[in-house]
Each structure stands twice: as C-alpha cells, then as structure tokens.
Amino acid sequence: MDGPAAAGKTTTCLALARTFGLRYLESGRTYRIIAFEALQREIPVDDAREITWLCDRLILESRSAGLLTSERYASDKLRETPVNVAVSAVAKIADVRRRVTSLIRLWAESQTQCVIEGRDIGTTIFPAALVKFYLTASPEVRAMRRVRQERAGTYENVLKDVIRRDDADMNRTVSPLVAAEDAIRIDTTNLTIEQVMSRMSTACRDRGLEVIRS
Ligand code: CDP
C-alpha cells in the first residue's frame, strides 16, 4: 500500500491485516528512526555519507531486519515536528533507501503473507505484489484527519507539513512517490473507512486471499 502522508494507510493496513491474517509492516517508521537518531546525535540530515554510516550502525545494533520492527522508539517521539522535517531529507538518500529496501525484502521473505505500507512498496520494493493499493485524499482532508487523530499541532501547520512532504516525496530522484501502473487507486476524500475497506477487501478476495476474521 502506497500513498501520500495521512491518506489512511495505517488504519486500512491494520484492518486488512486483521481480516486476512497478514503480518503488517509500517516502512515509514524505519526512515523516521534514522531521522530521529540523526537529530539525537546531531548528524546533519543532508550529509548523505554520514547518514548512510548511521544507517549501517543502526542496522548492526538492531541485528539486521530488527531495525524495521524495533519497539525501542515510542511512536509519538517519531512523529514530532523536527523528525517530520528531517525524514524527508533522510528518505531521499539513495544508499539509505537501498539498505531499507533490502531489510524490507528480508523481513517479507520470512512471512507467509504480509501487508506493507510506504511510498515505494508497489513500484520499487515489490513490483510483483499480489495486490497493490494507492491510497490518496485531498491535502485538506488528510491534514484534518491527522489533526483529529494525533491532536498534534494546528490544522494550518499540519496542512503545511503534509503539502511539504508530498512535494519532497513526489519529486525526489530515487523512488519518488507515484502510483504503480497496476495499483488500485482509491481516493478516500469522500469515503468512510468502511467504504474504503469494502473496496479493498473485495480486491483482496478477488485475488484469492482468504478472510479469516470479518
Ligand atoms: O504516516 P505518514 O504517511 O505521515 O508518513 P510515514 O509513512 O511515517 O513516512 C514518513 C516519511 O518516510 C515519508 O514522508 C517519506 O519521506 C518516507 N518514506 C519513504 O520514503 N518510503 C517509504 N516506503 C516509507 C516512508
């Protein structure tokens, strides 16, 4: 599942994981952990060499794919404004993306079936995925949802951040955010979670996934 910030990926991925008995991975968390550690250690986030080095150290410390699922970091810390800003710089470093891509593939190999959310899952990491979704919504609706969900910041500031990150994610050179040609696109601007889930569940069933919990 790919799509821009606050499009509803996490909520729907978790619901799909529950319905179809899939393991779930939030790939953005890894980029956030690297950005968070860079800020803690005062490493400039636009220094590609230093950040790649940091990424290697974090991978070593957490024993490879452990970095993806590390619970050492509280989600609210990873979602603070400085991390939101730094993560865009970290995510455009090609060597960092290569490493995170390898970790995700390694993790997925050890799962029977899984659902992964991010920005380049259907385009770069798993171009042959069984089902691909590209979830989107207007920036205004996404900002409103995030303010309600996280109660962090004013609507105006969250909207600015959403637009800034969309721009950074869509216009970077390496693995820019774009819908895979064969992705099912869902614009959730005027849809309820139930309506989105109903479309997604139908698509998953059509491709042979079995419902284990309705
Ligand atoms: O939850 P939200 O949609 O706000 O963001 P996230 O999924 O936590 O991702 C944070 C940032 O990580 C994004 O803005 C991207 O810059 C980067 N990211 C990426 O480049 N590729 C991915 N597969 C996942 C996240």
Side-chain angles (χ1 to χ4, degrees), residues 146-158:
R146 183 129 295 179
V147 171
R148 275 203 215 115
Q149 168 200 1
E150 289 183 11
R151 290 162 208 250
T154 62
Y155 168 74
E156 286 73 22
N157 286 343
V158 173

Side-chain angles (χ1 to χ4, degrees), residues 9-30:
K9 300 187 297 292
T10 304
T11 311
T12 48
C13 277
L14 284 170
L16 284 177
R18 188 176 176 279
T19 306
F20 293 96
L22 313 167
R23 290 289 305 282
Y24 160 66
L25 183 72
E26 187 187 356
S27 66
R29 207 178 135 82
T30 307

Side-chain angles (χ1 to χ4, degrees), residues 13 19 30 43 61 71 76 84 103 148 151 185:
C13 277
T19 306
T30 307
I43 301 171
E61 283 167 19
E71 287 174 7
D76 53 343
N84 267 345
L103 292 181
R148 275 203 215 115
R151 290 162 208 250
R185 294 166 191 244

Side-chain angles (χ1 to χ4, degrees), residues 5 9 27-28 32 79 97 119-120 146 165 169 172:
K9 300 187 297 292
S27 66
R32 286 181 183 275
R79 294 198 159 269
R97 299 202 70 84
R119 301 290 191 284
D120 60 344
R146 183 129 295 179
R165 277 200 297 132
D169 288 338
R172 67 175 169 234

